[in-house]
Amino acid sequence: MKLEDVGFIPLLKVFGINRIFKSKDFVLSVFFTVILFIIIDYYSIYTFVIESVIPLIASIAGALLAITIAGYAIIVSSTDREYVTLLHEKNVYKNILFNFYYNSIIALLSILIGIFTLIIHQTPLHSLAYILSILSIFTFLYFLFGVILLFGLITALGMFRAELFKKKII
C-alpha cells in the first residue's frame, strides 16, 4: 500500500458515494434539517438562527472536531501490530480511517459554512445567508450523527478486540 492509497479520494472510492447517501447519519440529517427548515420558515426566525444558533453550531463543531481528531490519534497510535493486521486483512481498517477522515471534513465544512453565513449576513447578499444557515444546520447535524456512529464503531472495535483477547488470537 502506498501513502496515496489512504488519501481522501482513494478511500472515498473504496467506501462508495452511494453508501454515503444511504447512510443513517445522512438520512437523519436530511430529515431533521427539513423539519428545522419548516419551523424556521414558519416562525420567520432566520435572523435569530443566523445570529445566535449558527455561531453556537460552529463552536460545537470545532470542539467535536478536536475530540474526533484526538480519538483518531488515540486509535491509530495505541493499536498494536497484530490487531491492525487483522483489521486490515478483514478490510475494516480502511473503513475506520475513512470514517474519521470523512467526519472531520464534514465538521470543517460545518465550521466554514457557519463562518461564511455570518459574514454574508452582514452584506447586501444577506438573503443568501438564509440558505447558508440551512446548509450549516445540515452539515452540523450530519457531523453530529456521524460522531455518534463513530462512537458505535469504536465500541464495536473494542468489543471485537476483547473477543480476540478472550480467544487468545492476539
Side-chain angles (χ1 to χ4, degrees), residues 12-76:
L12 180 60
K13 289 177 183 175
V14 170
F15 194 78
I17 292 178
N18 288 338
R19 196 166 148 194
I20 290 171
F21 292 118
K22 294 177 182 177
S23 66
K24 294 174 195 170
D25 51 345
F26 185 83
V27 172
L28 283 171
S29 301
V30 169
F31 176 75
F32 283 110
T33 300
V34 168
I35 288 174
L36 288 171
F37 173 74
I38 291 168
I39 292 169
I40 292 166
D41 191 54
Y42 180 79
Y43 290 106
S44 297
I45 55 174
Y46 283 104
T47 302
F48 168 76
V49 169
I50 291 170
E51 293 175 357
S52 300
V53 177
I54 298 302
L56 185 62
I57 284 175
S59 297
I60 294 170
L64 286 175
L65 175 60
I67 292 168
T68 301
I69 292 171
Y72 176 71
I74 290 168
I75 286 176
V76 170

Side-chain angles (χ1 to χ4, degrees), residues 83-93 96 157 160:
Y83 188 58
V84 170
T85 303
L86 185 64
L87 291 175
H88 189 67
E89 287 171 358
K90 295 190 177 281
N91 292 323
V92 176
Y93 199 62
I96 296 166
L157 288 172
F160 178 65

Side-chain angles (χ1 to χ4, degrees), residues 69-151:
I69 292 171
Y72 176 71
I74 290 168
I75 286 176
V76 170
S77 65
S78 67
T79 306
D80 59 77
R81 183 179 301 174
E82 294 87 15
Y83 188 58
V84 170
T85 303
L86 185 64
L87 291 175
H88 189 67
E89 287 171 358
K90 295 190 177 281
N91 292 323
V92 176
Y93 199 62
K94 280 187 179 181
N95 189 15
I96 296 166
L97 294 176
F98 180 76
N99 277 303
F100 275 97
Y101 202 167
Y102 185 73
N103 278 297
S104 296
I105 288 172
I106 297 300
L108 186 59
L109 280 174
S110 179
I111 294 165
L112 292 174
I113 292 168
I115 292 168
F116 195 62
T117 302
L118 293 170
I119 293 169
I120 292 294
H121 183 60
Q122 301 302 321
T123 71
L125 298 171
H126 60 84
S127 59
L128 179 61
Y130 301 141
I131 296 166
L132 288 173
S133 68
I134 298 302
L135 186 58
S136 180
I137 290 169
F138 167 75
T139 55
F140 175 71
L141 290 173
Y142 190 26
F143 172 60
L144 192 61
F145 291 131
V147 166
I148 292 168
L149 291 178
L150 276 177
F151 287 137

